[in-house]
Amino acid sequence: TKRLIYSTQEFGSEGGSTMVTISVDAAKCNGCGECADICPGDVYDMANNKAVPARQGDCTECCNCVENCDQDAITHSEC
């Protein structure tokens, strides 16, 4: 069985030293869209009924997505 994990690892702080990684385990994600709805940075898209962290550079590191994912599908390096 393959596990699909959507992950992004793109941006750093102004100094370039902080790297944020956001991953969504597609096997756990039920496609409810709560992360996309609650994210103030509009980081998530929904694709094939799964959350995808498409704009990680817009992440405000509020951790709302991790805290509100009932499936524990989201891993965020700063949360």
Side-chain angles (χ1 to χ4, degrees):
T1 304
K2 291 184 181 180
R3 276 181 82 170
L4 184 59
I5 297 177
Y6 296 105
S7 179
T8 54
Q9 193 173 27
E10 294 286 326
F11 82 100
S13 66
E14 288 182 22
S17 61
T18 302
M19 183 69 72
V20 172
T21 302
I22 303 170
S23 300
V24 177
D25 186 332
K28 292 182 179 180
C29 179
N30 67 1
C32 72
E34 183 67 21
C35 56
D37 292 341
I38 202 165
C39 179
D42 194 32
V43 169
Y44 295 91
D45 283 341
M46 299 303 293
N48 298 320
N49 204 34
K50 303 292 179 182
V52 179
R55 288 170 296 284
Q56 76 291 335
D58 294 337
C59 179
T60 63
E61 298 180 25
C62 68
C63 301
N64 284 343
C65 58
V66 174
E67 293 168 3
N68 287 281
C69 180
D70 291 337
Q71 305 302 310
D72 294 322
I74 301 172
T75 304
H76 190 300
S77 62
E78 300 301 315
C79 299

